[in-house]
Amino acid sequence: MAGDDYLSGTIRAYDRDPERYERATAGMLPDAELDAFVRLLPDPAGRVLDVGCAFGRDTGLLAARGLRARGVDLSPAFVARAAERHPELDFRVMDARRLAFPDGHFAGVWCQATLLHLKDHDVGAALAGFRRVLAPGGALFASFKEGEGEEEVFERFSSDASRFYRYQSAARVTALLEAAGFRVVAVERSHEAERYGPGQRDLTWLHAFATAPAPDGG
């Protein structure tokens, strides 16, 4: 699709060495965020979609919490690895901006460290798609790296090739979510090294929680 060229290098970076990303991030469990997300769901045993599922870590954690979880990712190598780790779950290669699911199909959308690879117009397209596939009252979690601007980064922590990043502020994340029709519940900060200890990066994550309003505006 026209305008997607900036993403091709990022997908290649993940496809060429998915094991490196898995080793770097397998222990960085977002348990507090998962629990907060589950509390927001209109159905505690409902269908949830892990968008940008990578090797299926969070998809499995969602399923372990009693949810009917499935995952999608644009990297075929990640989808293959996720299916290997969790053969009981459904994983598909799919673009976050063009979800092939019916309207109102999910109680929740979980999107960890995925939208940060998209330019703002594509973040908006992805969020509009999330809004479409969520049932009324459905919950959304999305995380971003805090900062300004965009760049191609060669980050040895989890890849041996450069990837595209778009950094966000809490105010900008709020604006993007509201423009897509979400009610923002919270945008929280978490410093990676402070949370996960020595060897992790000196960066701040933004964790956004939002809901899809019901028809009556509730």
Side-chain angles (χ1 to χ4, degrees), residues 27-199:
M28 296 169 62
L29 303 182
D31 288 329
E33 290 75 26
L34 285 162
D35 290 343
F37 173 70
V38 171
R39 288 194 294 270
L40 282 177
L41 295 172
D43 181 354
R47 288 187 294 257
V48 295
L49 182 65
D50 183 4
V51 178
C53 64
F55 55 93
R57 183 197 67 189
D58 294 356
T59 327
L61 293 170
L62 289 163
R65 285 166 166 77
L67 295 160
R68 289 175 281 167
R70 66 196 309 176
V72 298
D73 200 285
L74 199 51
S75 163
F78 270 156
V79 169
R81 177 57 177 153
E84 179 183 357
R85 284 171 51 98
H86 299 284
E88 76 283 5
L89 301 179
D90 178 54
F91 295 96
R92 302 184 191 180
V93 177
M94 193 177 296
D95 193 320
R97 299 162 296 175
R98 294 181 279 276
L99 297 178
F101 297 105
D103 294 1
H105 191 65
F106 295 100
V109 170
W110 174 270
C111 188
Q112 173 82 292
T114 296
L115 299 182
L116 49 73
H117 289 307
L118 300 179
K119 293 178 179 288
D120 279 353
H121 68 278
D122 281 332
V123 173
L127 290 174
F130 298 172
R131 177 74 176 82
R132 179 186 64 79
V133 301
L134 279 171
L140 170 66
F141 168 83
S143 66
F144 305 82
K145 289 181 179 179
E146 186 176 49
E148 297 292 336
E150 58 188 45
E151 62 179 345
E152 292 276 345
V153 178
F154 178 28
E155 185 183 56
R156 293 183 182 276
F157 173 76
S158 58
S159 177
D160 63 354
S162 65
R163 292 169 291 179
F164 174 86
Y165 287 95
R166 172 65 167 106
Y167 304 99
Q168 300 289 356
S169 66
R172 182 60 182 160
V173 168
T174 297
L176 287 164
L177 288 165
E178 290 179 343
F182 285 97
R183 181 179 70 85
V184 178
V185 175
V187 180
E188 301 172 350
R189 289 179 172 84
S190 177
H191 189 271
E192 184 174 303
E194 291 176 2
R195 178 169 180 174
Y196 295 109

